Amino acid sequence: MVSGQLPFLGSYFAPMSTAVALDFILLAAIWGASFLFMRLGTLEFGPLPTAGVRVGIAALALLPVMLARGLWPQLRQHWRPVLFCGVINSAIPFALFSFALLSISTSLSSILNATVPLFGALVAWQWLGDKPGASRTLGLVIGFIGVALLAGGKASFKPDASGVVTAWGILACLLATLSYAVAASYTRRYLSGLNPLMSATGSQIGAALGLALPTLWLWPAQPPSATAWGALLGLGVLCTAVAYVLYFRLIERLGPARAVTVTFAVPVFAVFYGVTLLGETVTPWTLFCGAIVLCGTALATGAVKLRI
């Protein structure tokens, strides 16, 4: 049976203060909007330039804050692992999600994004020897069953009526979440103990450097509209720079284990934005499979524990 550790109840999720709860909800709302902004940006910029401009803007927004905190010497000392982390934690997944949004909805991509903790647990198990217990293992099984059901109902390598091949978009999302998972274990192994603001800023610089040439090579011939530029500005400043600040503040106030549960709320906002602002349709099957994924993720992260 459940041990009483449900969101905002019990010892694991002790009641939040109003200020912390507002930060939690605001961060979920901001990250939910990132799928909307990526969709709007990538239609005109293309996947790689969208990701490149995003991390470039984020790096420029975070750099003055990092310098004001006197963290430049720490970045100079650890620049190699920090910059590399930016490639696997931002450049690769941001580009993959941008590519995916050319063929699948923002709602579906946000639900697939919620599998990050599932892949994270598997990578940590294989790489760091962090073997999950029975309850977390059950969560992994449930979560991946939900992904299989969701992908099985949506993925097809045959073009639909509009010529879209959805399977590539779903595969890109899953590769992006795997990249996030590898980056999490890499960070734990090589960047542990470093200032998170320095790591965040340095990683965005690394991502920007990694995507600089592809962004220039694939820059759209047709000048993007003001709407597309606005979307990338929102991605870089709001969904990356500001979101990092909020996330680090949540980590300080709640601890990393509780802060990561914001992942559960992100699809709620992403689905809402997709339906209301983009006119997307969400089927009951998608919602059902999404619920299975989130339940599995809750168990895999330890947010809900079963006595087995």
Side-chain angles (χ1 to χ4, degrees):
M1 62 179 175
V2 179
S3 64
Q5 296 184 358
L6 297 174
F8 305 105
L9 298 173
S11 60
Y12 194 89
F13 284 94
M16 296 181 185
S17 68
T18 301
V20 174
L22 288 175
D23 278 354
F24 189 95
I25 295 171
L26 180 59
L27 180 58
I30 289 174
W31 272 345
S34 67
F35 298 93
L36 168 66
F37 289 143
M38 277 191 288
R39 172 76 173 181
L40 294 175
T42 198
L43 289 175
E44 297 188 38
F45 279 91
L48 285 171
T50 294
V53 173
R54 174 183 183 176
V55 296
I57 292 174
L60 292 175
L62 286 169
L63 184 59
V65 182
M66 187 200 73
L67 294 176
R69 298 282 183 88
L71 297 172
W72 180 252
Q74 189 177 95
L75 177 58
R76 288 184 60 187
Q77 182 180 357
H78 301 282
W79 66 272
R80 287 183 179 87
V82 172
L83 295 189
F84 178 73
C85 184
V87 174
I88 58 176
N89 192 53
S90 294
I92 292 175
F94 288 175
L96 286 169
F97 270 116
S98 296
F99 169 78
L101 286 166
L102 291 174
S103 58
I104 64 174
S105 68
T106 60
S107 303
L108 178 56
S109 61
S110 68
I111 292 173
L112 292 172
N113 180 66
T115 64
V116 171
L118 299 179
F119 284 109
L122 285 179
V123 173
W125 181 5
Q126 295 300 312
W127 189 2
L128 305 178
D130 185 11
K131 185 177 181 179
S135 178
R136 293 180 62 198
T137 300
L138 177 62
L140 291 173
V141 173
I142 292 173
F144 283 114
I145 287 175
V147 172
L149 292 173
L150 183 61
K154 296 287 185 179
S156 175
F157 286 101
K158 294 181 179 180
D160 61 15
S162 58
V164 172
V165 180
T166 57
W168 291 119
I170 292 174
L171 180 60
C173 283
L174 294 177
L175 288 175
T177 57
L178 177 59
S179 186
Y180 280 137
V182 171
S185 286
Y186 179 88
T187 299
R188 182 176 169 184
R189 183 159 187 170
Y190 296 107
L191 304 181
S192 180
L194 300 182
N195 184 280
L197 177 59
M198 182 281 297
S199 297
T201 305
S203 68
Q204 294 308 297
I205 294 173
L209 292 174
L211 288 171
L213 287 179
T215 296
L216 293 175
W217 287 335
L218 299 173
W219 193 260
Q222 185 72 20
S225 67
T227 299
W229 275 109
L232 293 197
L233 187 64
L235 266 177
V237 176
L238 185 64
C239 300
T240 309
V242 173
Y244 266 124
V245 174
L246 287 172
Y247 187 53
F248 294 149
R249 191 158 66 186
L250 282 178
I251 290 175
E252 291 175 0
R253 295 177 178 180
L254 298 177
R258 295 178 68 195
V260 77
T261 58
V262 72
T263 306
F264 304 151
V266 169
V268 176
F269 287 96
V271 170
F272 173 76
Y273 298 143
V275 171
T276 58
L277 300 178
L278 297 179
E280 295 178 350
T281 58
V282 182
T283 65
W285 179 252
T286 299
L287 295 177
F288 172 71
C289 294
I292 294 176
V293 171
L294 293 178
C295 287
T297 303
L299 284 169
T301 57
V304 174
K305 294 183 179 179
L306 300 177
R307 294 173 183 167
I308 300 176

